[in-house]
Amino acid sequence: MSIKSANINPFAYQYASLPVINNNEKKTNIFTNKIQTSNFFDNSINTTKPNSLYLKDDILAKCLPNSFIAKYLNSGFINKQIQNNPKIQEILNAKGLAVNANLHNVLEIINSHLIPTYTYAKLIMKESGINFSPEDYTIMEQASLLHDIGKIFIPAEILNKKENLTQKEREIIGLHDILGVELLKNTQLNPKVLTLIDSHHKCDGINDNSILTQILKIADIYSALKENRSYKMSMNEEDTFKVLFEKW
């Protein structure tokens, strides 16, 4: 059972120890706690061994995060879900968009955002002092790796726009959480994974006050602020924590 709290203060924990992930630096393998010169997380999704996709999701997400993402981020799976779930087309058509799945939207942020968010979220859980259950860790691992999968349906020109977004464009980007849920709802994923995906940008999401939801939000925002994106430069540590304090 996930532990819930009405209002968690993210800075009651040792967040200052969160590492800055830089793809040009050596990294610590979080599974062996040793520095490695080859980047464990930079294995290309295109080199995933087919047999690894038949492992259970909990094992894939924990030990082979790129392979876990590959299981759900492929045209065969996505086309099947689109065909079986008309809600996806309804959501997009309501905003004047056609159903156009651009996998590159998410493929390009695997190492820059999804893996860091996954790493930060697990570090926060570990350093919190809370006795999270193995199920809680499994839910967080899977949700953090898939939380932005709905962005495959968002036009790249909006996602990468350097200028300020219009109100309509903000609304379109805001669809990625529910689109992600609809894409994954007819799978064997734990419903609690879908809850986190649905809630990671909402202030009134389902079970929004759960600790897991708030940790995913913090990890997601922290990662985003530390990244270079088309519309912004990476923030330094001081400014990053200032933004987080303002949000909580």
Side-chain angles (χ1 to χ4, degrees), residues 173-208:
I173 287 183
L175 296 176
H176 79 272
D177 47 7
I178 187 60
L179 287 169
V181 170
E182 292 297 330
L183 185 68
L184 300 168
K185 69 186 301 184
N186 295 319
T187 66
Q188 298 299 312
L189 288 168
N190 188 319
K192 294 179 182 179
V193 173
L194 303 186
T195 293
L196 289 189
I197 293 173
D198 175 72
S199 304
H200 78 278
H201 279 301
K202 295 185 175 73
C203 294
D204 58 349
I206 306 170
N207 294 335
D208 182 66

PDB file of all heavy atoms in Angstrom, residues 173-208:
ATOM      1  N   ILE A 173      -0.310  20.792 -25.274  1.00  0.00           N
ATOM      2  CA  ILE A 173       0.761  20.114 -24.538  1.00  0.00           C
ATOM      3  C   ILE A 173       0.208  19.467 -23.274  1.00  0.00           C
ATOM      4  O   ILE A 173       0.609  18.371 -22.879  1.00  0.00           O
ATOM      5  CB  ILE A 173       1.895  21.093 -24.192  1.00  0.00           C
ATOM      6  CG1 ILE A 173       2.693  21.431 -25.452  1.00  0.00           C
ATOM      7  CG2 ILE A 173       2.824  20.499 -23.123  1.00  0.00           C
ATOM      8  CD1 ILE A 173       3.880  22.331 -25.223  1.00  0.00           C
ATOM      9  N   GLY A 174      -0.751  20.129 -22.666  1.00  0.00           N
ATOM     10  CA  GLY A 174      -1.357  19.613 -21.441  1.00  0.00           C
ATOM     11  C   GLY A 174      -2.127  18.323 -21.637  1.00  0.00           C
ATOM     12  O   GLY A 174      -2.496  17.657 -20.656  1.00  0.00           O
ATOM     13  N   LEU A 175      -2.352  17.933 -22.888  1.00  0.00           N
ATOM     14  CA  LEU A 175      -3.061  16.683 -23.167  1.00  0.00           C
ATOM     15  C   LEU A 175      -2.163  15.458 -23.006  1.00  0.00           C
ATOM     16  O   LEU A 175      -2.660  14.333 -22.969  1.00  0.00           O
ATOM     17  CB  LEU A 175      -3.609  16.693 -24.602  1.00  0.00           C
ATOM     18  CG  LEU A 175      -4.673  17.729 -24.951  1.00  0.00           C
ATOM     19  CD1 LEU A 175      -4.996  17.640 -26.446  1.00  0.00           C
ATOM     20  CD2 LEU A 175      -5.941  17.500 -24.133  1.00  0.00           C
ATOM     21  N   HIS A 176      -0.852  15.650 -22.917  1.00  0.00           N
ATOM     22  CA  HIS A 176       0.038  14.489 -23.001  1.00  0.00           C
ATOM     23  C   HIS A 176      -0.130  13.516 -21.843  1.00  0.00           C
ATOM     24  O   HIS A 176       0.105  12.321 -21.997  1.00  0.00           O
ATOM     25  CB  HIS A 176       1.503  14.922 -23.147  1.00  0.00           C
ATOM     26  CG  HIS A 176       2.158  15.354 -21.877  1.00  0.00           C
ATOM     27  ND1 HIS A 176       2.117  16.652 -21.425  1.00  0.00           N
ATOM     28  CD2 HIS A 176       2.894  14.670 -20.963  1.00  0.00           C
ATOM     29  CE1 HIS A 176       2.789  16.748 -20.297  1.00  0.00           C
ATOM     30  NE2 HIS A 176       3.278  15.555 -19.977  1.00  0.00           N
ATOM     31  N   ASP A 177      -0.575  14.012 -20.677  1.00  0.00           N
ATOM     32  CA  ASP A 177      -0.735  13.085 -19.562  1.00  0.00           C
ATOM     33  C   ASP A 177      -1.929  12.159 -19.782  1.00  0.00           C
ATOM     34  O   ASP A 177      -1.818  10.931 -19.650  1.00  0.00           O
ATOM     35  CB  ASP A 177      -0.847  13.837 -18.230  1.00  0.00           C
ATOM     36  CG  ASP A 177      -1.811  15.005 -18.263  1.00  0.00           C
ATOM     37  OD1 ASP A 177      -2.508  15.179 -19.282  1.00  0.00           O
ATOM     38  OD2 ASP A 177      -1.863  15.755 -17.267  1.00  0.00           O
ATOM     39  N   ILE A 178      -3.075  12.724 -20.161  1.00  0.00           N
ATOM     40  CA  ILE A 178      -4.256  11.879 -20.387  1.00  0.00           C
ATOM     41  C   ILE A 178      -4.086  11.006 -21.631  1.00  0.00           C
ATOM     42  O   ILE A 178      -4.552   9.862 -21.682  1.00  0.00           O
ATOM     43  CB  ILE A 178      -5.550  12.726 -20.486  1.00  0.00           C
ATOM     44  CG1 ILE A 178      -6.785  11.828 -20.541  1.00  0.00           C
ATOM     45  CG2 ILE A 178      -5.512  13.655 -21.697  1.00  0.00           C
ATOM     46  CD1 ILE A 178      -6.972  10.925 -19.349  1.00  0.00           C
ATOM     47  N   LEU A 179      -3.380  11.518 -22.634  1.00  0.00           N
ATOM     48  CA  LEU A 179      -3.100  10.699 -23.823  1.00  0.00           C
ATOM     49  C   LEU A 179      -2.205   9.520 -23.462  1.00  0.00           C
ATOM     50  O   LEU A 179      -2.371   8.410 -23.981  1.00  0.00           O
ATOM     51  CB  LEU A 179      -2.450  11.547 -24.917  1.00  0.00           C
ATOM     52  CG  LEU A 179      -3.374  12.527 -25.638  1.00  0.00           C
ATOM     53  CD1 LEU A 179      -2.567  13.499 -26.495  1.00  0.00           C
ATOM     54  CD2 LEU A 179      -4.387  11.779 -26.505  1.00  0.00           C
ATOM     55  N   GLY A 180      -1.262   9.763 -22.566  1.00  0.00           N
ATOM     56  CA  GLY A 180      -0.413   8.671 -22.100  1.00  0.00           C
ATOM     57  C   GLY A 180      -1.212   7.608 -21.374  1.00  0.00           C
ATOM     58  O   GLY A 180      -1.005   6.403 -21.568  1.00  0.00           O
ATOM     59  N   VAL A 181      -2.149   8.047 -20.546  1.00  0.00           N
ATOM     60  CA  VAL A 181      -3.017   7.102 -19.826  1.00  0.00           C
ATOM     61  C   VAL A 181      -3.856   6.296 -20.804  1.00  0.00           C
ATOM     62  O   VAL A 181      -3.967   5.066 -20.679  1.00  0.00           O
ATOM     63  CB  VAL A 181      -3.925   7.853 -18.829  1.00  0.00           C
ATOM     64  CG1 VAL A 181      -4.986   6.911 -18.262  1.00  0.00           C
ATOM     65  CG2 VAL A 181      -3.100   8.460 -17.703  1.00  0.00           C
ATOM     66  N   GLU A 182      -4.445   6.965 -21.787  1.00  0.00           N
ATOM     67  CA  GLU A 182      -5.288   6.261 -22.754  1.00  0.00           C
ATOM     68  C   GLU A 182      -4.468   5.281 -23.588  1.00  0.00           C
ATOM     69  O   GLU A 182      -4.944   4.209 -23.951  1.00  0.00           O
ATOM     70  CB  GLU A 182      -5.991   7.268 -23.674  1.00  0.00           C
ATOM     71  CG  GLU A 182      -7.035   8.135 -22.981  1.00  0.00           C
ATOM     72  CD  GLU A 182      -8.193   7.322 -22.412  1.00  0.00           C
ATOM     73  OE1 GLU A 182      -8.524   6.256 -22.972  1.00  0.00           O
ATOM     74  OE2 GLU A 182      -8.774   7.765 -21.392  1.00  0.00           O
ATOM     75  N   LEU A 183      -3.234   5.644 -23.882  1.00  0.00           N
ATOM     76  CA  LEU A 183      -2.363   4.766 -24.667  1.00  0.00           C
ATOM     77  C   LEU A 183      -2.024   3.490 -23.898  1.00  0.00           C
ATOM     78  O   LEU A 183      -1.885   2.412 -24.483  1.00  0.00           O
ATOM     79  CB  LEU A 183      -1.080   5.504 -25.036  1.00  0.00           C
ATOM     80  CG  LEU A 183      -0.100   4.785 -25.963  1.00  0.00           C
ATOM     81  CD1 LEU A 183      -0.694   4.631 -27.363  1.00  0.00           C
ATOM     82  CD2 LEU A 183       1.217   5.556 -26.036  1.00  0.00           C
ATOM     83  N   LEU A 184      -1.917   3.611 -22.574  1.00  0.00           N
ATOM     84  CA  LEU A 184      -1.449   2.499 -21.754  1.00  0.00           C
ATOM     85  C   LEU A 184      -2.546   1.789 -20.971  1.00  0.00           C
ATOM     86  O   LEU A 184      -2.279   0.775 -20.310  1.00  0.00           O
ATOM     87  CB  LEU A 184      -0.394   3.018 -20.759  1.00  0.00           C
ATOM     88  CG  LEU A 184       0.856   3.656 -21.368  1.00  0.00           C
ATOM     89  CD1 LEU A 184       1.661   4.374 -20.273  1.00  0.00           C
ATOM     90  CD2 LEU A 184       1.715   2.615 -22.065  1.00  0.00           C
ATOM     91  N   LYS A 185      -3.771   2.269 -21.033  1.00  0.00           N
ATOM     92  CA  LYS A 185      -4.814   1.764 -20.135  1.00  0.00           C
ATOM     93  C   LYS A 185      -5.198   0.311 -20.396  1.00  0.00           C
ATOM     94  O   LYS A 185      -5.645  -0.385 -19.486  1.00  0.00           O
ATOM     95  CB  LYS A 185      -6.050   2.663 -20.192  1.00  0.00           C
ATOM     96  CG  LYS A 185      -6.811   2.620 -21.498  1.00  0.00           C
ATOM     97  CD  LYS A 185      -7.940   3.657 -21.540  1.00  0.00           C
ATOM     98  CE  LYS A 185      -8.953   3.464 -20.438  1.00  0.00           C
ATOM     99  NZ  LYS A 185     -10.074   4.425 -20.558  1.00  0.00           N
ATOM    100  N   ASN A 186      -5.062  -0.160 -21.614  1.00  0.00           N
ATOM    101  CA  ASN A 186      -5.449  -1.539 -21.930  1.00  0.00           C
ATOM    102  C   ASN A 186      -4.249  -2.476 -21.913  1.00  0.00           C
ATOM    103  O   ASN A 186      -4.147  -3.393 -22.724  1.00  0.00           O
ATOM    104  CB  ASN A 186      -6.152  -1.589 -23.287  1.00  0.00           C
ATOM    105  CG  ASN A 186      -7.469  -0.840 -23.278  1.00  0.00           C
ATOM    106  OD1 ASN A 186      -8.228  -0.914 -22.313  1.00  0.00           O
ATOM    107  ND2 ASN A 186      -7.731  -0.084 -24.333  1.00  0.00           N
ATOM    108  N   THR A 187      -3.342  -2.232 -20.993  1.00  0.00           N
ATOM    109  CA  THR A 187      -2.152  -3.072 -20.829  1.00  0.00           C
ATOM    110  C   THR A 187      -2.209  -3.737 -19.463  1.00  0.00           C
ATOM    111  O   THR A 187      -3.176  -3.568 -18.716  1.00  0.00           O
ATOM    112  CB  THR A 187      -0.861  -2.237 -20.938  1.00  0.00           C
ATOM    113  OG1 THR A 187      -0.818  -1.328 -19.821  1.00  0.00           O
ATOM    114  CG2 THR A 187      -0.838  -1.445 -22.248  1.00  0.00           C
ATOM    115  N   GLN A 188      -1.164  -4.462 -19.141  1.00  0.00           N
ATOM    116  CA  GLN A 188      -1.091  -5.127 -17.840  1.00  0.00           C
ATOM    117  C   GLN A 188      -0.438  -4.246 -16.774  1.00  0.00           C
ATOM    118  O   GLN A 188      -0.171  -4.714 -15.660  1.00  0.00           O
ATOM    119  CB  GLN A 188      -0.304  -6.439 -17.968  1.00  0.00           C
ATOM    120  CG  GLN A 188      -0.936  -7.462 -18.890  1.00  0.00           C
ATOM    121  CD  GLN A 188      -2.315  -7.890 -18.423  1.00  0.00           C
ATOM    122  OE1 GLN A 188      -2.509  -8.219 -17.249  1.00  0.00           O
ATOM    123  NE2 GLN A 188      -3.290  -7.866 -19.323  1.00  0.00           N
ATOM    124  N   LEU A 189      -0.196  -2.983 -17.087  1.00  0.00           N
ATOM    125  CA  LEU A 189       0.403  -2.083 -16.110  1.00  0.00           C
ATOM    126  C   LEU A 189      -0.515  -1.910 -14.904  1.00  0.00           C
ATOM    127  O   LEU A 189      -1.736  -1.866 -15.035  1.00  0.00           O
ATOM    128  CB  LEU A 189       0.676  -0.716 -16.737  1.00  0.00           C
ATOM    129  CG  LEU A 189       1.828  -0.644 -17.742  1.00  0.00           C
ATOM    130  CD1 LEU A 189       1.786   0.685 -18.489  1.00  0.00           C
ATOM    131  CD2 LEU A 189       3.174  -0.824 -17.050  1.00  0.00           C
ATOM    132  N   ASN A 190       0.088  -1.789 -13.748  1.00  0.00           N
ATOM    133  CA  ASN A 190      -0.654  -1.528 -12.517  1.00  0.00           C
ATOM    134  C   ASN A 190      -1.426  -0.213 -12.682  1.00  0.00           C
ATOM    135  O   ASN A 190      -0.854   0.797 -13.107  1.00  0.00           O
ATOM    136  CB  ASN A 190       0.341  -1.417 -11.353  1.00  0.00           C
ATOM    137  CG  ASN A 190      -0.336  -1.347  -9.997  1.00  0.00           C
ATOM    138  OD1 ASN A 190      -1.346  -0.684  -9.821  1.00  0.00           O
ATOM    139  ND2 ASN A 190       0.254  -2.017  -9.020  1.00  0.00           N
ATOM    140  N   PRO A 191      -2.719  -0.189 -12.344  1.00  0.00           N
ATOM    141  CA  PRO A 191      -3.495   1.061 -12.446  1.00  0.00           C
ATOM    142  C   PRO A 191      -2.857   2.225 -11.694  1.00  0.00           C
ATOM    143  O   PRO A 191      -3.053   3.387 -12.059  1.00  0.00           O
ATOM    144  CB  PRO A 191      -4.847   0.681 -11.836  1.00  0.00           C
ATOM    145  CG  PRO A 191      -4.962  -0.796 -12.071  1.00  0.00           C
ATOM    146  CD  PRO A 191      -3.554  -1.321 -11.916  1.00  0.00           C
ATOM    147  N   LYS A 192      -2.086   1.926 -10.651  1.00  0.00           N
ATOM    148  CA  LYS A 192      -1.435   2.995  -9.898  1.00  0.00           C
ATOM    149  C   LYS A 192      -0.352   3.681 -10.737  1.00  0.00           C
ATOM    150  O   LYS A 192      -0.040   4.856 -10.503  1.00  0.00           O
ATOM    151  CB  LYS A 192      -0.836   2.435  -8.609  1.00  0.00           C
ATOM    152  CG  LYS A 192      -1.883   1.943  -7.626  1.00  0.00           C
ATOM    153  CD  LYS A 192      -1.246   1.372  -6.368  1.00  0.00           C
ATOM    154  CE  LYS A 192      -2.294   0.834  -5.403  1.00  0.00           C
ATOM    155  NZ  LYS A 192      -1.679   0.248  -4.179  1.00  0.00           N
ATOM    156  N   VAL A 193       0.214   2.961 -11.693  1.00  0.00           N
ATOM    157  CA  VAL A 193       1.166   3.573 -12.619  1.00  0.00           C
ATOM    158  C   VAL A 193       0.439   4.615 -13.467  1.00  0.00           C
ATOM    159  O   VAL A 193       0.934   5.733 -13.671  1.00  0.00           O
ATOM    160  CB  VAL A 193       1.827   2.503 -13.522  1.00  0.00           C
ATOM    161  CG1 VAL A 193       2.683   3.163 -14.606  1.00  0.00           C
ATOM    162  CG2 VAL A 193       2.674   1.549 -12.685  1.00  0.00           C
ATOM    163  N   LEU A 194      -0.742   4.259 -13.937  1.00  0.00           N
ATOM    164  CA  LEU A 194      -1.528   5.191 -14.751  1.00  0.00           C
ATOM    165  C   LEU A 194      -1.960   6.401 -13.925  1.00  0.00           C
ATOM    166  O   LEU A 194      -2.043   7.519 -14.440  1.00  0.00           O
ATOM    167  CB  LEU A 194      -2.753   4.479 -15.328  1.00  0.00           C
ATOM    168  CG  LEU A 194      -2.475   3.235 -16.181  1.00  0.00           C
ATOM    169  CD1 LEU A 194      -3.769   2.728 -16.816  1.00  0.00           C
ATOM    170  CD2 LEU A 194      -1.438   3.522 -17.258  1.00  0.00           C
ATOM    171  N   THR A 195      -2.244   6.191 -12.641  1.00  0.00           N
ATOM    172  CA  THR A 195      -2.607   7.297 -11.759  1.00  0.00           C
ATOM    173  C   THR A 195      -1.477   8.314 -11.678  1.00  0.00           C
ATOM    174  O   THR A 195      -1.701   9.522 -11.762  1.00  0.00           O
ATOM    175  CB  THR A 195      -2.933   6.779 -10.344  1.00  0.00           C
ATOM    176  OG1 THR A 195      -4.124   5.995 -10.389  1.00  0.00           O
ATOM    177  CG2 THR A 195      -3.148   7.929  -9.371  1.00  0.00           C
ATOM    178  N   LEU A 196      -0.243   7.837 -11.540  1.00  0.00           N
ATOM    179  CA  LEU A 196       0.890   8.756 -11.470  1.00  0.00           C
ATOM    180  C   LEU A 196       1.085   9.496 -12.785  1.00  0.00           C
ATOM    181  O   LEU A 196       1.373  10.697 -12.799  1.00  0.00           O
ATOM    182  CB  LEU A 196       2.167   8.005 -11.104  1.00  0.00           C
ATOM    183  CG  LEU A 196       2.288   7.473  -9.671  1.00  0.00           C
ATOM    184  CD1 LEU A 196       3.698   6.955  -9.419  1.00  0.00           C
ATOM    185  CD2 LEU A 196       1.937   8.530  -8.643  1.00  0.00           C
ATOM    186  N   ILE A 197       0.947   8.793 -13.891  1.00  0.00           N
ATOM    187  CA  ILE A 197       1.086   9.437 -15.198  1.00  0.00           C
ATOM    188  C   ILE A 197       0.019  10.507 -15.374  1.00  0.00           C
ATOM    189  O   ILE A 197       0.283  11.610 -15.845  1.00  0.00           O
ATOM    190  CB  ILE A 197       1.006   8.385 -16.325  1.00  0.00           C
ATOM    191  CG1 ILE A 197       2.220   7.455 -16.263  1.00  0.00           C
ATOM    192  CG2 ILE A 197       0.927   9.064 -17.706  1.00  0.00           C
ATOM    193  CD1 ILE A 197       2.155   6.282 -17.214  1.00  0.00           C
ATOM    194  N   ASP A 198      -1.205  10.188 -14.982  1.00  0.00           N
ATOM    195  CA  ASP A 198      -2.313  11.134 -15.098  1.00  0.00           C
ATOM    196  C   ASP A 198      -2.098  12.377 -14.233  1.00  0.00           C
ATOM    197  O   ASP A 198      -2.498  13.480 -14.601  1.00  0.00           O
ATOM    198  CB  ASP A 198      -3.619  10.449 -14.689  1.00  0.00           C
ATOM    199  CG  ASP A 198      -4.796  11.402 -14.657  1.00  0.00           C
ATOM    200  OD1 ASP A 198      -5.253  11.812 -15.739  1.00  0.00           O
ATOM    201  OD2 ASP A 198      -5.252  11.763 -13.550  1.00  0.00           O
ATOM    202  N   SER A 199      -1.458  12.194 -13.089  1.00  0.00           N
ATOM    203  CA  SER A 199      -1.391  13.262 -12.087  1.00  0.00           C
ATOM    204  C   SER A 199      -0.101  14.067 -12.085  1.00  0.00           C
ATOM    205  O   SER A 199       0.004  15.046 -11.344  1.00  0.00           O
ATOM    206  CB  SER A 199      -1.576  12.649 -10.688  1.00  0.00           C
ATOM    207  OG  SER A 199      -2.774  11.918 -10.595  1.00  0.00           O
ATOM    208  N   HIS A 200       0.872  13.701 -12.912  1.00  0.00           N
ATOM    209  CA  HIS A 200       2.190  14.302 -12.720  1.00  0.00           C
ATOM    210  C   HIS A 200       2.278  15.777 -13.078  1.00  0.00           C
ATOM    211  O   HIS A 200       3.265  16.436 -12.734  1.00  0.00           O
ATOM    212  CB  HIS A 200       3.282  13.502 -13.461  1.00  0.00           C
ATOM    213  CG  HIS A 200       3.369  13.734 -14.933  1.00  0.00           C
ATOM    214  ND1 HIS A 200       2.550  13.103 -15.839  1.00  0.00           N
ATOM    215  CD2 HIS A 200       4.202  14.525 -15.663  1.00  0.00           C
ATOM    216  CE1 HIS A 200       2.865  13.488 -17.067  1.00  0.00           C
ATOM    217  NE2 HIS A 200       3.870  14.350 -16.990  1.00  0.00           N
ATOM    218  N   HIS A 201       1.247  16.336 -13.724  1.00  0.00           N
ATOM    219  CA  HIS A 201       1.209  17.781 -13.969  1.00  0.00           C
ATOM    220  C   HIS A 201      -0.009  18.446 -13.343  1.00  0.00           C
ATOM    221  O   HIS A 201      -0.132  19.665 -13.421  1.00  0.00           O
ATOM    222  CB  HIS A 201       1.189  18.073 -15.477  1.00  0.00           C
ATOM    223  CG  HIS A 201       2.532  18.013 -16.115  1.00  0.00           C
ATOM    224  ND1 HIS A 201       3.588  18.803 -15.727  1.00  0.00           N
ATOM    225  CD2 HIS A 201       3.020  17.243 -17.125  1.00  0.00           C
ATOM    226  CE1 HIS A 201       4.644  18.530 -16.456  1.00  0.00           C
ATOM    227  NE2 HIS A 201       4.331  17.586 -17.307  1.00  0.00           N
ATOM    228  N   LYS A 202      -0.876  17.670 -12.754  1.00  0.00           N
ATOM    229  CA  LYS A 202      -2.127  18.212 -12.242  1.00  0.00           C
ATOM    230  C   LYS A 202      -2.034  18.559 -10.769  1.00  0.00           C
ATOM    231  O   LYS A 202      -1.356  17.890 -10.007  1.00  0.00           O
ATOM    232  CB  LYS A 202      -3.267  17.212 -12.441  1.00  0.00           C
ATOM    233  CG  LYS A 202      -3.625  16.919 -13.891  1.00  0.00           C
ATOM    234  CD  LYS A 202      -4.843  16.006 -13.930  1.00  0.00           C
ATOM    235  CE  LYS A 202      -5.328  15.778 -15.352  1.00  0.00           C
ATOM    236  NZ  LYS A 202      -4.420  14.896 -16.110  1.00  0.00           N
ATOM    237  N   CYS A 203      -2.745  19.612 -10.389  1.00  0.00           N
ATOM    238  CA  CYS A 203      -2.886  19.939  -8.966  1.00  0.00           C
ATOM    239  C   CYS A 203      -4.101  19.233  -8.379  1.00  0.00           C
ATOM    240  O   CYS A 203      -4.291  19.190  -7.174  1.00  0.00           O
ATOM    241  CB  CYS A 203      -3.046  21.455  -8.781  1.00  0.00           C
ATOM    242  SG  CYS A 203      -1.572  22.384  -9.235  1.00  0.00           S
ATOM    243  N   ASP A 204      -4.948  18.715  -9.245  1.00  0.00           N
ATOM    244  CA  ASP A 204      -6.162  18.059  -8.780  1.00  0.00           C
ATOM    245  C   ASP A 204      -6.280  16.668  -9.395  1.00  0.00           C
ATOM    246  O   ASP A 204      -7.361  16.164  -9.632  1.00  0.00           O
ATOM    247  CB  ASP A 204      -7.398  18.882  -9.138  1.00  0.00           C
ATOM    248  CG  ASP A 204      -7.516  19.131 -10.647  1.00  0.00           C
ATOM    249  OD1 ASP A 204      -6.537  18.840 -11.370  1.00  0.00           O
ATOM    250  OD2 ASP A 204      -8.572  19.598 -11.090  1.00  0.00           O
ATOM    251  N   GLY A 205      -5.133  16.059  -9.689  1.00  0.00           N
ATOM    252  CA  GLY A 205      -5.156  14.737 -10.293  1.00  0.00           C
ATOM    253  C   GLY A 205      -5.670  13.687  -9.331  1.00  0.00           C
ATOM    254  O   GLY A 205      -5.815  13.916  -8.130  1.00  0.00           O
ATOM    255  N   ILE A 206      -5.939  12.501  -9.848  1.00  0.00           N
ATOM    256  CA  ILE A 206      -6.412  11.401  -9.024  1.00  0.00           C
ATOM    257  C   ILE A 206      -5.356  11.109  -7.965  1.00  0.00           C
ATOM    258  O   ILE A 206      -4.178  10.962  -8.258  1.00  0.00           O
ATOM    259  CB  ILE A 206      -6.635  10.142  -9.892  1.00  0.00           C
ATOM    260  CG1 ILE A 206      -7.562  10.467 -11.056  1.00  0.00           C
ATOM    261  CG2 ILE A 206      -7.211   9.003  -9.060  1.00  0.00           C
ATOM    262  CD1 ILE A 206      -7.635   9.359 -12.090  1.00  0.00           C
ATOM    263  N   ASN A 207      -5.792  11.029  -6.692  1.00  0.00           N
ATOM    264  CA  ASN A 207      -4.857  10.749  -5.595  1.00  0.00           C
ATOM    265  C   ASN A 207      -3.679  11.718  -5.597  1.00  0.00           C
ATOM    266  O   ASN A 207      -2.543  11.339  -5.323  1.00  0.00           O
ATOM    267  CB  ASN A 207      -4.330   9.308  -5.678  1.00  0.00           C
ATOM    268  CG  ASN A 207      -5.419   8.284  -5.439  1.00  0.00           C
ATOM    269  OD1 ASN A 207      -6.412   8.581  -4.785  1.00  0.00           O
ATOM    270  ND2 ASN A 207      -5.241   7.090  -5.959  1.00  0.00           N
ATOM    271  N   ASP A 208      -3.981  12.974  -5.881  1.00  0.00           N
ATOM    272  CA  ASP A 208      -2.914  13.961  -6.042  1.00  0.00           C
ATOM    273  C   ASP A 208      -2.078  14.135  -4.786  1.00  0.00           C
ATOM    274  O   ASP A 208      -0.927  14.530  -4.862  1.00  0.00           O
ATOM    275  CB  ASP A 208      -3.519  15.309  -6.454  1.00  0.00           C
ATOM    276  CG  ASP A 208      -2.455  16.366  -6.693  1.00  0.00           C
ATOM    277  OD1 ASP A 208      -1.680  16.217  -7.643  1.00  0.00           O
ATOM    278  OD2 ASP A 208      -2.377  17.316  -5.904  1.00  0.00           O
TER     279      ASP A 208
END
